[in-house]
Short mmCIF file of all heavy atoms in Angstrom, two decimals:
data_model
loop_
_atom_site.label_atom_id
_atom_site.label_comp_id
_atom_site.label_asym_id
_atom_site.label_seq_id
_atom_site.Cartn_x
_atom_site.Cartn_y
_atom_site.Cartn_z
N MET A 1 2.18 -17.65 -10.45
CA MET A 1 1.58 -16.36 -10.72
C MET A 1 1.68 -15.49 -9.48
O MET A 1 1.26 -15.89 -8.40
CB MET A 1 0.11 -16.54 -11.11
CG MET A 1 -0.62 -15.21 -11.24
SD MET A 1 -2.36 -15.39 -11.66
CE MET A 1 -3.09 -15.43 -10.04
N THR A 2 2.24 -14.33 -9.62
CA THR A 2 2.27 -13.39 -8.52
C THR A 2 0.94 -12.66 -8.50
O THR A 2 0.41 -12.28 -9.53
CB THR A 2 3.43 -12.39 -8.70
OG1 THR A 2 4.65 -13.13 -8.84
CG2 THR A 2 3.54 -11.45 -7.52
N ARG A 3 0.40 -12.49 -7.31
CA ARG A 3 -0.95 -11.93 -7.20
C ARG A 3 -1.11 -11.06 -5.96
O ARG A 3 -0.38 -11.21 -4.99
CB ARG A 3 -1.96 -13.07 -7.16
CG ARG A 3 -1.81 -13.93 -5.90
CD ARG A 3 -2.53 -15.25 -6.01
NE ARG A 3 -2.41 -16.03 -4.80
CZ ARG A 3 -1.41 -16.84 -4.53
NH1 ARG A 3 -0.41 -16.96 -5.38
NH2 ARG A 3 -1.38 -17.53 -3.42
N TRP A 4 -2.10 -10.19 -6.03
CA TRP A 4 -2.51 -9.40 -4.88
C TRP A 4 -3.64 -10.17 -4.18
O TRP A 4 -4.58 -10.61 -4.83
CB TRP A 4 -3.05 -8.04 -5.30
CG TRP A 4 -2.02 -7.15 -5.90
CD1 TRP A 4 -1.88 -6.82 -7.21
CD2 TRP A 4 -1.00 -6.46 -5.20
NE1 TRP A 4 -0.81 -5.98 -7.38
CE2 TRP A 4 -0.24 -5.74 -6.14
CE3 TRP A 4 -0.61 -6.39 -3.86
CZ2 TRP A 4 0.84 -4.95 -5.80
CZ3 TRP A 4 0.48 -5.61 -3.52
CH2 TRP A 4 1.19 -4.90 -4.48
N GLU A 5 -3.52 -10.37 -2.88
CA GLU A 5 -4.60 -10.94 -2.08
C GLU A 5 -5.16 -9.83 -1.21
O GLU A 5 -4.44 -9.23 -0.41
CB GLU A 5 -4.10 -12.09 -1.21
CG GLU A 5 -3.67 -13.29 -2.01
CD GLU A 5 -3.18 -14.44 -1.15
OE1 GLU A 5 -3.08 -14.28 0.08
OE2 GLU A 5 -2.90 -15.49 -1.73
N VAL A 6 -6.43 -9.56 -1.39
CA VAL A 6 -7.10 -8.51 -0.61
C VAL A 6 -8.07 -9.21 0.35
O VAL A 6 -8.99 -9.89 -0.09
CB VAL A 6 -7.86 -7.52 -1.52
CG1 VAL A 6 -8.47 -6.41 -0.70
CG2 VAL A 6 -6.93 -6.96 -2.59
N ARG A 7 -7.83 -9.06 1.65
CA ARG A 7 -8.68 -9.68 2.67
C ARG A 7 -9.47 -8.58 3.38
O ARG A 7 -8.89 -7.62 3.86
CB ARG A 7 -7.84 -10.44 3.67
CG ARG A 7 -7.16 -11.65 3.08
CD ARG A 7 -6.13 -12.26 4.02
NE ARG A 7 -6.68 -12.59 5.30
CZ ARG A 7 -6.68 -13.80 5.83
NH1 ARG A 7 -6.14 -14.81 5.17
NH2 ARG A 7 -7.18 -14.03 7.02
N ILE A 8 -10.77 -8.79 3.46
CA ILE A 8 -11.65 -7.84 4.13
C ILE A 8 -12.36 -8.59 5.26
O ILE A 8 -13.10 -9.54 5.00
CB ILE A 8 -12.65 -7.22 3.15
CG1 ILE A 8 -11.90 -6.50 2.02
CG2 ILE A 8 -13.61 -6.28 3.87
CD1 ILE A 8 -12.79 -5.95 0.92
N PRO A 9 -12.13 -8.20 6.52
CA PRO A 9 -12.78 -8.87 7.64
C PRO A 9 -14.31 -8.74 7.56
O PRO A 9 -14.83 -7.73 7.07
CB PRO A 9 -12.25 -8.12 8.86
CG PRO A 9 -11.00 -7.47 8.39
CD PRO A 9 -11.23 -7.14 6.96
N THR A 10 -15.00 -9.77 8.04
CA THR A 10 -16.46 -9.77 8.06
C THR A 10 -16.94 -10.16 9.45
O THR A 10 -16.23 -10.83 10.21
CB THR A 10 -17.03 -10.77 7.03
OG1 THR A 10 -16.58 -12.08 7.35
CG2 THR A 10 -16.61 -10.41 5.62
N PHE A 11 -18.15 -9.74 9.76
CA PHE A 11 -18.77 -10.18 11.01
C PHE A 11 -20.28 -10.26 10.81
O PHE A 11 -20.89 -9.45 10.14
CB PHE A 11 -18.40 -9.27 12.19
CG PHE A 11 -18.73 -7.83 12.00
CD1 PHE A 11 -19.94 -7.31 12.47
CD2 PHE A 11 -17.85 -6.97 11.36
CE1 PHE A 11 -20.24 -5.97 12.28
CE2 PHE A 11 -18.15 -5.63 11.17
CZ PHE A 11 -19.35 -5.13 11.64
N ALA A 12 -20.84 -11.32 11.40
CA ALA A 12 -22.27 -11.59 11.28
C ALA A 12 -22.98 -11.15 12.56
O ALA A 12 -22.34 -11.00 13.61
CB ALA A 12 -22.49 -13.07 11.03
N PRO A 13 -24.28 -10.96 12.50
CA PRO A 13 -25.04 -10.55 13.69
C PRO A 13 -24.89 -11.52 14.86
O PRO A 13 -24.99 -11.11 16.01
CB PRO A 13 -26.49 -10.52 13.20
CG PRO A 13 -26.39 -10.29 11.73
CD PRO A 13 -25.12 -11.00 11.31
N ASP A 14 -24.64 -12.80 14.59
CA ASP A 14 -24.50 -13.78 15.68
C ASP A 14 -23.10 -13.76 16.30
O ASP A 14 -22.80 -14.56 17.17
CB ASP A 14 -24.83 -15.18 15.19
CG ASP A 14 -23.83 -15.72 14.18
OD1 ASP A 14 -22.88 -15.01 13.81
OD2 ASP A 14 -24.01 -16.88 13.75
N GLY A 15 -22.23 -12.86 15.84
CA GLY A 15 -20.89 -12.74 16.39
C GLY A 15 -19.82 -13.49 15.62
O GLY A 15 -18.64 -13.37 15.93
N THR A 16 -20.22 -14.26 14.63
CA THR A 16 -19.26 -14.99 13.81
C THR A 16 -18.38 -14.01 13.03
O THR A 16 -18.88 -13.04 12.47
CB THR A 16 -19.99 -15.91 12.81
OG1 THR A 16 -20.87 -16.76 13.54
CG2 THR A 16 -19.01 -16.73 12.01
N ARG A 17 -17.08 -14.27 13.04
CA ARG A 17 -16.14 -13.43 12.30
C ARG A 17 -15.44 -14.25 11.24
O ARG A 17 -15.29 -15.45 11.37
CB ARG A 17 -15.10 -12.83 13.25
CG ARG A 17 -15.71 -11.87 14.24
CD ARG A 17 -14.63 -11.14 15.03
NE ARG A 17 -15.22 -10.08 15.80
CZ ARG A 17 -15.46 -8.86 15.36
NH1 ARG A 17 -15.18 -8.54 14.12
NH2 ARG A 17 -15.99 -7.94 16.13
N GLY A 18 -15.02 -13.58 10.21
CA GLY A 18 -14.31 -14.24 9.13
C GLY A 18 -13.68 -13.20 8.23
O GLY A 18 -13.41 -12.08 8.67
N PHE A 19 -13.49 -13.55 6.98
CA PHE A 19 -12.98 -12.58 6.02
C PHE A 19 -13.43 -13.00 4.63
O PHE A 19 -13.77 -14.15 4.38
CB PHE A 19 -11.45 -12.46 6.08
CG PHE A 19 -10.73 -13.71 5.67
CD1 PHE A 19 -10.37 -13.92 4.34
CD2 PHE A 19 -10.39 -14.67 6.60
CE1 PHE A 19 -9.71 -15.07 3.96
CE2 PHE A 19 -9.73 -15.83 6.23
CZ PHE A 19 -9.39 -16.02 4.91
N GLN A 20 -13.45 -12.04 3.74
CA GLN A 20 -13.73 -12.30 2.34
C GLN A 20 -12.48 -11.92 1.57
O GLN A 20 -11.89 -10.86 1.81
CB GLN A 20 -14.93 -11.50 1.87
CG GLN A 20 -15.43 -11.92 0.51
CD GLN A 20 -16.85 -11.46 0.25
OE1 GLN A 20 -17.33 -10.52 0.83
NE2 GLN A 20 -17.51 -12.14 -0.68
N MET A 21 -12.04 -12.80 0.68
CA MET A 21 -10.80 -12.56 -0.05
C MET A 21 -11.07 -12.36 -1.54
O MET A 21 -11.91 -13.04 -2.13
CB MET A 21 -9.84 -13.73 0.12
CG MET A 21 -8.50 -13.50 -0.58
SD MET A 21 -7.35 -14.87 -0.47
CE MET A 21 -6.98 -14.87 1.26
N PHE A 22 -10.34 -11.42 -2.09
CA PHE A 22 -10.36 -11.15 -3.53
C PHE A 22 -8.93 -11.27 -4.02
O PHE A 22 -8.00 -10.83 -3.35
CB PHE A 22 -10.91 -9.75 -3.81
CG PHE A 22 -12.31 -9.57 -3.30
CD1 PHE A 22 -12.55 -9.12 -2.01
CD2 PHE A 22 -13.39 -9.86 -4.11
CE1 PHE A 22 -13.84 -8.96 -1.54
CE2 PHE A 22 -14.69 -9.70 -3.65
CZ PHE A 22 -14.92 -9.25 -2.36
N VAL A 23 -8.74 -11.88 -5.18
CA VAL A 23 -7.41 -12.13 -5.71
C VAL A 23 -7.30 -11.53 -7.11
O VAL A 23 -8.19 -11.73 -7.95
CB VAL A 23 -7.12 -13.66 -5.77
CG1 VAL A 23 -5.75 -13.92 -6.36
CG2 VAL A 23 -7.24 -14.26 -4.38
N TYR A 24 -6.21 -10.79 -7.34
CA TYR A 24 -5.98 -10.13 -8.62
C TYR A 24 -4.54 -10.38 -9.05
O TYR A 24 -3.63 -10.27 -8.25
CB TYR A 24 -6.22 -8.62 -8.51
CG TYR A 24 -7.59 -8.29 -7.96
CD1 TYR A 24 -7.75 -7.94 -6.63
CD2 TYR A 24 -8.71 -8.35 -8.78
CE1 TYR A 24 -9.01 -7.66 -6.12
CE2 TYR A 24 -9.97 -8.08 -8.28
CZ TYR A 24 -10.11 -7.73 -6.95
OH TYR A 24 -11.36 -7.48 -6.44
N SER A 25 -4.35 -10.65 -10.33
CA SER A 25 -2.99 -10.93 -10.82
C SER A 25 -2.17 -9.63 -10.87
O SER A 25 -2.69 -8.58 -11.22
CB SER A 25 -3.04 -11.57 -12.20
OG SER A 25 -3.52 -10.65 -13.15
N LEU A 26 -0.91 -9.77 -10.53
CA LEU A 26 0.00 -8.62 -10.56
C LEU A 26 0.20 -8.14 -11.99
O LEU A 26 0.38 -6.95 -12.22
CB LEU A 26 1.35 -9.00 -9.93
CG LEU A 26 2.41 -7.91 -9.94
CD1 LEU A 26 1.96 -6.70 -9.12
CD2 LEU A 26 3.73 -8.44 -9.42
N SER A 27 0.11 -9.04 -12.95
CA SER A 27 0.36 -8.65 -14.34
C SER A 27 -0.72 -7.70 -14.88
O SER A 27 -0.48 -7.02 -15.88
CB SER A 27 0.46 -9.89 -15.23
OG SER A 27 -0.75 -10.61 -15.21
N HIS A 28 -1.88 -7.65 -14.24
CA HIS A 28 -2.97 -6.78 -14.70
C HIS A 28 -3.40 -5.72 -13.70
O HIS A 28 -4.26 -4.89 -14.02
CB HIS A 28 -4.19 -7.63 -15.07
CG HIS A 28 -3.96 -8.51 -16.24
ND1 HIS A 28 -3.66 -9.85 -16.09
CD2 HIS A 28 -3.95 -8.26 -17.56
CE1 HIS A 28 -3.50 -10.39 -17.28
NE2 HIS A 28 -3.66 -9.45 -18.20
N HIS A 29 -2.84 -5.75 -12.48
CA HIS A 29 -3.28 -4.83 -11.44
C HIS A 29 -2.09 -4.31 -10.63
O HIS A 29 -1.24 -5.10 -10.24
CB HIS A 29 -4.22 -5.53 -10.46
CG HIS A 29 -5.46 -6.05 -11.10
ND1 HIS A 29 -5.49 -7.25 -11.78
CD2 HIS A 29 -6.71 -5.54 -11.17
CE1 HIS A 29 -6.70 -7.45 -12.24
NE2 HIS A 29 -7.47 -6.44 -11.90
N ASN A 30 -2.09 -3.01 -10.37
CA ASN A 30 -1.15 -2.50 -9.38
C ASN A 30 -1.89 -2.52 -8.03
O ASN A 30 -3.07 -2.87 -7.97
CB ASN A 30 -0.62 -1.11 -9.74
CG ASN A 30 -1.72 -0.07 -9.84
OD1 ASN A 30 -2.75 -0.15 -9.20
ND2 ASN A 30 -1.50 0.93 -10.69
N GLU A 31 -1.21 -2.17 -6.96
CA GLU A 31 -1.83 -2.26 -5.63
C GLU A 31 -3.08 -1.39 -5.52
O GLU A 31 -4.10 -1.82 -4.99
CB GLU A 31 -0.82 -1.88 -4.55
CG GLU A 31 -1.39 -2.01 -3.15
CD GLU A 31 -0.38 -1.73 -2.06
OE1 GLU A 31 0.80 -1.48 -2.37
OE2 GLU A 31 -0.77 -1.77 -0.88
N ALA A 32 -3.01 -0.18 -6.02
CA ALA A 32 -4.15 0.74 -5.92
C ALA A 32 -5.36 0.20 -6.68
O ALA A 32 -6.50 0.30 -6.20
CB ALA A 32 -3.76 2.12 -6.43
N LEU A 33 -5.13 -0.37 -7.85
CA LEU A 33 -6.24 -0.92 -8.64
C LEU A 33 -6.83 -2.15 -7.96
O LEU A 33 -8.06 -2.31 -7.91
CB LEU A 33 -5.77 -1.27 -10.05
CG LEU A 33 -6.83 -1.84 -10.99
CD1 LEU A 33 -8.02 -0.90 -11.12
CD2 LEU A 33 -6.22 -2.13 -12.35
N ALA A 34 -5.99 -3.01 -7.40
CA ALA A 34 -6.49 -4.19 -6.68
C ALA A 34 -7.35 -3.76 -5.49
O ALA A 34 -8.43 -4.31 -5.26
CB ALA A 34 -5.33 -5.06 -6.22
N ARG A 35 -6.88 -2.75 -4.76
CA ARG A 35 -7.64 -2.24 -3.61
C ARG A 35 -8.98 -1.66 -4.05
O ARG A 35 -10.03 -1.99 -3.48
CB ARG A 35 -6.81 -1.17 -2.89
CG ARG A 35 -7.48 -0.55 -1.68
CD ARG A 35 -6.62 0.56 -1.09
NE ARG A 35 -5.29 0.08 -0.77
CZ ARG A 35 -4.93 -0.48 0.38
NH1 ARG A 35 -5.82 -0.66 1.32
NH2 ARG A 35 -3.69 -0.87 0.58
N SER A 36 -8.98 -0.84 -5.07
CA SER A 36 -10.24 -0.20 -5.50
C SER A 36 -11.21 -1.22 -6.09
O SER A 36 -12.42 -1.12 -5.85
CB SER A 36 -9.96 0.94 -6.49
OG SER A 36 -9.43 0.45 -7.69
N ARG A 37 -10.71 -2.21 -6.80
CA ARG A 37 -11.61 -3.26 -7.34
C ARG A 37 -12.23 -4.07 -6.22
O ARG A 37 -13.42 -4.39 -6.26
CB ARG A 37 -10.85 -4.18 -8.29
CG ARG A 37 -10.61 -3.50 -9.63
CD ARG A 37 -10.49 -4.40 -10.79
NE ARG A 37 -11.51 -5.44 -10.90
CZ ARG A 37 -11.31 -6.57 -11.57
NH1 ARG A 37 -10.17 -6.79 -12.17
NH2 ARG A 37 -12.26 -7.47 -11.65
N ALA A 38 -11.44 -4.42 -5.21
CA ALA A 38 -11.98 -5.19 -4.08
C ALA A 38 -13.05 -4.38 -3.34
O ALA A 38 -14.10 -4.91 -2.97
CB ALA A 38 -10.87 -5.59 -3.12
N LEU A 39 -12.79 -3.09 -3.14
CA LEU A 39 -13.78 -2.24 -2.46
C LEU A 39 -15.08 -2.13 -3.27
O LEU A 39 -16.16 -2.07 -2.69
CB LEU A 39 -13.19 -0.85 -2.19
CG LEU A 39 -12.13 -0.82 -1.09
CD1 LEU A 39 -11.47 0.55 -1.05
CD2 LEU A 39 -12.74 -1.18 0.26
N ALA A 40 -14.97 -2.13 -4.58
CA ALA A 40 -16.16 -2.09 -5.42
C ALA A 40 -16.88 -3.45 -5.41
O ALA A 40 -18.11 -3.51 -5.30
CB ALA A 40 -15.79 -1.70 -6.85
N GLU A 41 -16.11 -4.53 -5.51
CA GLU A 41 -16.71 -5.86 -5.59
C GLU A 41 -17.33 -6.33 -4.28
O GLU A 41 -18.30 -7.09 -4.30
CB GLU A 41 -15.66 -6.87 -6.05
CG GLU A 41 -15.29 -6.69 -7.51
CD GLU A 41 -14.31 -7.74 -8.00
OE1 GLU A 41 -14.46 -8.92 -7.62
OE2 GLU A 41 -13.41 -7.37 -8.76
N VAL A 42 -16.80 -5.87 -3.15
CA VAL A 42 -17.31 -6.35 -1.86
C VAL A 42 -18.77 -5.92 -1.62
O VAL A 42 -19.48 -6.54 -0.84
CB VAL A 42 -16.39 -5.91 -0.69
CG1 VAL A 42 -16.59 -4.44 -0.35
CG2 VAL A 42 -16.60 -6.79 0.53
N THR A 43 -19.22 -4.89 -2.32
CA THR A 43 -20.59 -4.42 -2.16
C THR A 43 -21.56 -5.06 -3.16
O THR A 43 -22.75 -4.80 -3.10
CB THR A 43 -20.67 -2.89 -2.30
OG1 THR A 43 -20.21 -2.52 -3.60
CG2 THR A 43 -19.84 -2.19 -1.24
N SER A 44 -21.06 -5.90 -4.05
CA SER A 44 -21.92 -6.53 -5.06
C SER A 44 -22.87 -7.54 -4.41
O SER A 44 -22.59 -8.10 -3.34
CB SER A 44 -21.07 -7.23 -6.13
OG SER A 44 -20.49 -8.40 -5.59
N ASP A 45 -23.99 -7.78 -5.07
CA ASP A 45 -24.95 -8.76 -4.58
C ASP A 45 -24.31 -10.14 -4.42
O ASP A 45 -24.57 -10.85 -3.46
CB ASP A 45 -26.15 -8.87 -5.52
CG ASP A 45 -27.03 -7.63 -5.50
OD1 ASP A 45 -26.95 -6.85 -4.53
OD2 ASP A 45 -27.79 -7.45 -6.46
N THR A 46 -23.46 -10.49 -5.37
CA THR A 46 -22.78 -11.79 -5.32
C THR A 46 -21.89 -11.91 -4.09
O THR A 46 -21.90 -12.94 -3.40
CB THR A 46 -21.94 -12.01 -6.59
OG1 THR A 46 -22.82 -11.94 -7.72
CG2 THR A 46 -21.23 -13.35 -6.57
N ALA A 47 -21.13 -10.87 -3.77
CA ALA A 47 -20.23 -10.90 -2.61
C ALA A 47 -21.03 -10.98 -1.30
O ALA A 47 -20.68 -11.73 -0.40
CB ALA A 47 -19.32 -9.69 -2.61
N VAL A 48 -22.10 -10.20 -1.22
CA VAL A 48 -22.93 -10.22 -0.01
C VAL A 48 -23.56 -11.61 0.17
O VAL A 48 -23.58 -12.16 1.27
CB VAL A 48 -24.01 -9.13 -0.07
CG1 VAL A 48 -24.99 -9.25 1.09
CG2 VAL A 48 -23.37 -7.74 -0.08
N ARG A 49 -24.04 -12.18 -0.91
CA ARG A 49 -24.64 -13.53 -0.86
C ARG A 49 -23.57 -14.56 -0.46
O ARG A 49 -23.83 -15.45 0.37
CB ARG A 49 -25.25 -13.87 -2.20
CG ARG A 49 -26.04 -15.14 -2.23
CD ARG A 49 -26.82 -15.38 -3.52
NE ARG A 49 -26.07 -15.09 -4.74
CZ ARG A 49 -26.25 -14.01 -5.52
NH1 ARG A 49 -27.16 -13.11 -5.20
NH2 ARG A 49 -25.54 -13.84 -6.61
N HIS A 50 -22.37 -14.42 -0.98
CA HIS A 50 -21.28 -15.36 -0.68
C HIS A 50 -20.96 -15.36 0.82
O HIS A 50 -20.68 -16.42 1.39
CB HIS A 50 -20.04 -14.99 -1.49
CG HIS A 50 -18.87 -15.89 -1.23
ND1 HIS A 50 -18.77 -17.15 -1.75
CD2 HIS A 50 -17.76 -15.70 -0.49
CE1 HIS A 50 -17.65 -17.70 -1.34
NE2 HIS A 50 -17.01 -16.84 -0.58
N ARG A 51 -20.99 -14.20 1.44
CA ARG A 51 -20.68 -14.14 2.88
C ARG A 51 -21.93 -14.23 3.74
O ARG A 51 -21.92 -13.95 4.93
CB ARG A 51 -19.85 -12.90 3.20
CG ARG A 51 -20.49 -11.58 2.95
CD ARG A 51 -19.56 -10.42 3.38
NE ARG A 51 -20.21 -9.15 3.22
CZ ARG A 51 -20.11 -8.39 2.13
NH1 ARG A 51 -19.35 -8.76 1.12
NH2 ARG A 51 -20.75 -7.24 2.08
N ARG A 52 -23.03 -14.62 3.10
CA ARG A 52 -24.31 -14.86 3.79
C ARG A 52 -24.79 -13.66 4.58
O ARG A 52 -25.27 -13.78 5.70
CB ARG A 52 -24.21 -16.09 4.67
CG ARG A 52 -23.91 -17.35 3.90
CD ARG A 52 -23.90 -18.57 4.79
NE ARG A 52 -23.61 -19.74 4.00
CZ ARG A 52 -22.53 -20.47 4.15
NH1 ARG A 52 -21.63 -20.17 5.06
NH2 ARG A 52 -22.33 -21.52 3.39
N GLY A 53 -24.61 -12.49 4.00
CA GLY A 53 -25.12 -11.27 4.59
C GLY A 53 -24.27 -10.66 5.68
O GLY A 53 -24.63 -9.63 6.25
N ALA A 54 -23.14 -11.26 6.00
CA ALA A 54 -22.26 -10.69 7.02
C ALA A 54 -21.78 -9.32 6.57
O ALA A 54 -21.64 -9.05 5.38
CB ALA A 54 -21.07 -11.61 7.29
N THR A 55 -21.52 -8.45 7.52
CA THR A 55 -21.04 -7.10 7.24
C THR A 55 -19.54 -7.13 6.96
O THR A 55 -18.78 -7.79 7.67
CB THR A 55 -21.32 -6.18 8.44
OG1 THR A 55 -22.73 -6.17 8.67
CG2 THR A 55 -20.85 -4.77 8.18
N ALA A 56 -19.12 -6.42 5.94
CA ALA A 56 -17.70 -6.33 5.59
C ALA A 56 -17.12 -5.06 6.21
O ALA A 56 -17.69 -3.98 6.07
CB ALA A 56 -17.52 -6.31 4.09
N ASP A 57 -16.00 -5.20 6.91
CA ASP A 57 -15.33 -4.05 7.53
C ASP A 57 -14.24 -3.56 6.57
O ASP A 57 -13.08 -3.95 6.67
CB ASP A 57 -14.74 -4.45 8.87
CG ASP A 57 -14.03 -3.29 9.56
OD1 ASP A 57 -14.09 -2.15 9.05
OD2 ASP A 57 -13.42 -3.53 10.63
N THR A 58 -14.62 -2.69 5.64
CA THR A 58 -13.67 -2.22 4.63
C THR A 58 -12.58 -1.33 5.21
O THR A 58 -11.55 -1.14 4.58
CB THR A 58 -14.41 -1.49 3.50
OG1 THR A 58 -15.15 -0.41 4.06
CG2 THR A 58 -15.34 -2.43 2.76
N THR A 59 -12.78 -0.82 6.42
CA THR A 59 -11.74 0.01 7.04
C THR A 59 -10.55 -0.84 7.51
O THR A 59 -9.47 -0.31 7.74
CB THR A 59 -12.28 0.80 8.25
OG1 THR A 59 -12.69 -0.12 9.28
CG2 THR A 59 -13.44 1.68 7.85
N ALA A 60 -10.76 -2.16 7.60
CA ALA A 60 -9.69 -3.05 8.06
C ALA A 60 -9.13 -3.90 6.92
O ALA A 60 -8.51 -4.93 7.15
CB ALA A 60 -10.21 -3.95 9.18
N LEU A 61 -9.33 -3.46 5.69
CA LEU A 61 -8.83 -4.16 4.50
C LEU A 61 -7.33 -4.39 4.62
O LEU A 61 -6.59 -3.52 5.06
CB LEU A 61 -9.16 -3.32 3.27
CG LEU A 61 -8.67 -3.77 1.91
CD1 LEU A 61 -9.65 -3.28 0.87
CD2 LEU A 61 -7.30 -3.23 1.61
N ASP A 62 -6.89 -5.59 4.21
CA ASP A 62 -5.47 -5.92 4.22
C ASP A 62 -5.10 -6.42 2.82
O ASP A 62 -5.79 -7.26 2.26
CB ASP A 62 -5.20 -7.02 5.25
CG ASP A 62 -3.74 -7.43 5.29
OD1 ASP A 62 -2.89 -6.55 5.53
OD2 ASP A 62 -3.46 -8.61 5.07
N ILE A 63 -4.02 -5.89 2.27
CA ILE A 63 -3.61 -6.31 0.93
C ILE A 63 -2.17 -6.79 0.99
O ILE A 63 -1.30 -6.16 1.60
CB ILE A 63 -3.79 -5.17 -0.09
CG1 ILE A 63 -3.53 -5.65 -1.51
CG2 ILE A 63 -2.97 -3.95 0.26
CD1 ILE A 63 -4.02 -4.72 -2.59
N THR A 64 -1.94 -7.95 0.37
CA THR A 64 -0.63 -8.60 0.41
C THR A 64 -0.25 -9.07 -0.99
O THR A 64 -1.09 -9.61 -1.71
CB THR A 64 -0.66 -9.82 1.35
OG1 THR A 64 -1.13 -9.41 2.62
CG2 THR A 64 0.70 -10.46 1.48
N LEU A 65 1.00 -8.90 -1.34
CA LEU A 65 1.52 -9.41 -2.60
C LEU A 65 2.06 -10.81 -2.34
O LEU A 65 2.90 -11.01 -1.46
CB LEU A 65 2.62 -8.50 -3.13
CG LEU A 65 3.18 -8.85 -4.51
CD1 LEU A 65 2.10 -8.77 -5.57
CD2 LEU A 65 4.33 -7.92 -4.85
N ARG A 66 1.56 -11.81 -3.08
CA ARG A 66 1.97 -13.21 -2.90
C ARG A 66 2.62 -13.74 -4.16
O ARG A 66 2.13 -13.54 -5.25
CB ARG A 66 0.76 -14.07 -2.60
CG ARG A 66 0.08 -13.75 -1.31
CD ARG A 66 0.59 -14.63 -0.20
NE ARG A 66 -0.23 -14.39 0.96
CZ ARG A 66 0.24 -14.07 2.13
NH1 ARG A 66 1.53 -13.98 2.31
NH2 ARG A 66 -0.57 -13.86 3.14
N GLN A 67 3.70 -14.45 -3.96
CA GLN A 67 4.38 -15.14 -5.05
C GLN A 67 4.01 -16.60 -4.96
O GLN A 67 4.18 -17.23 -3.91
CB GLN A 67 5.89 -14.98 -4.92
CG GLN A 67 6.70 -15.77 -5.90
CD GLN A 67 6.54 -15.26 -7.33
OE1 GLN A 67 6.57 -14.07 -7.56
NE2 GLN A 67 6.35 -16.16 -8.26
N ALA A 68 3.46 -17.15 -6.02
CA ALA A 68 3.11 -18.57 -6.02
C ALA A 68 4.37 -19.41 -5.95
O ALA A 68 5.35 -19.12 -6.64
CB ALA A 68 2.31 -18.91 -7.28
N SER A 69 4.33 -20.41 -5.11
CA SER A 69 5.50 -21.29 -5.01
C SER A 69 5.26 -22.54 -5.86
O SER A 69 4.12 -22.95 -6.08
CB SER A 69 5.73 -21.68 -3.55
OG SER A 69 4.59 -22.33 -3.04
N LEU A 70 6.30 -23.13 -6.31
CA LEU A 70 6.21 -24.35 -7.09
C LEU A 70 6.20 -25.53 -6.14
O LEU A 70 6.94 -25.58 -5.17
CB LEU A 70 7.40 -24.46 -8.05
CG LEU A 70 7.49 -23.34 -9.08
CD1 LEU A 70 8.77 -23.49 -9.88
CD2 LEU A 70 6.28 -23.34 -9.99
N ILE A 71 5.38 -26.49 -6.43
CA ILE A 71 5.28 -27.68 -5.56
C ILE A 71 6.08 -28.80 -6.17
O ILE A 71 6.14 -29.03 -7.30
CB ILE A 71 3.80 -28.10 -5.38
CG1 ILE A 71 3.06 -26.98 -4.68
CG2 ILE A 71 3.71 -29.38 -4.60
CD1 ILE A 71 1.59 -27.24 -4.53
#
C-alpha cells in the first residue's frame, strides 16, 4: 500500500523530543488532504493523550510518500 506519512515533531517540558506520525493511504488522500487531516488530528484529545501532553510543532511538519515493500 502506498501511503502518506506525516511526521510532526514534539517536545515535552522536560526537554524530551520525538515525533507523532499520522498515516493516510494514497488511494484516498492527496498530499494536501493528508496534510490538512494531520493538522486537524494532532490537536485532538486522543493525539495529545498519546504524546503525553508534549507540544506538537506543526510548523515543522514533514510529509513523505512511501511505497510499501514486499518482504
Side-chain angles (χ1 to χ4, degrees):
M1 173 181 92
T2 304
R3 65 195 181 274
W4 293 106
E5 293 180 355
V6 183
R7 293 170 55 122
I8 301 175
T10 61
F11 56 94
D14 68 357
T16 305
R17 295 188 170 275
F19 65 90
Q20 191 161 23
M21 183 182 293
F22 300 89
V23 178
Y24 305 101
S25 67
L26 178 63
S27 62
H28 294 100
H29 299 81
N30 60 29
E31 183 176 357
L33 181 56
R35 180 183 305 272
S36 66
R37 284 208 47 204
L39 288 171
E41 289 183 40
V42 76
T43 60
S44 72
D45 290 341
T46 301
V48 173
R49 187 172 44 255
H50 179 77
R51 64 177 183 267
R52 298 184 180 116
T55 301
D57 181 6
T58 57
T59 64
L61 176 150
D62 179 58
I63 187 165
T64 306
L65 185 61
R66 295 266 188 233
Q67 174 68 44
S69 59
L70 298 175
I71 297 176

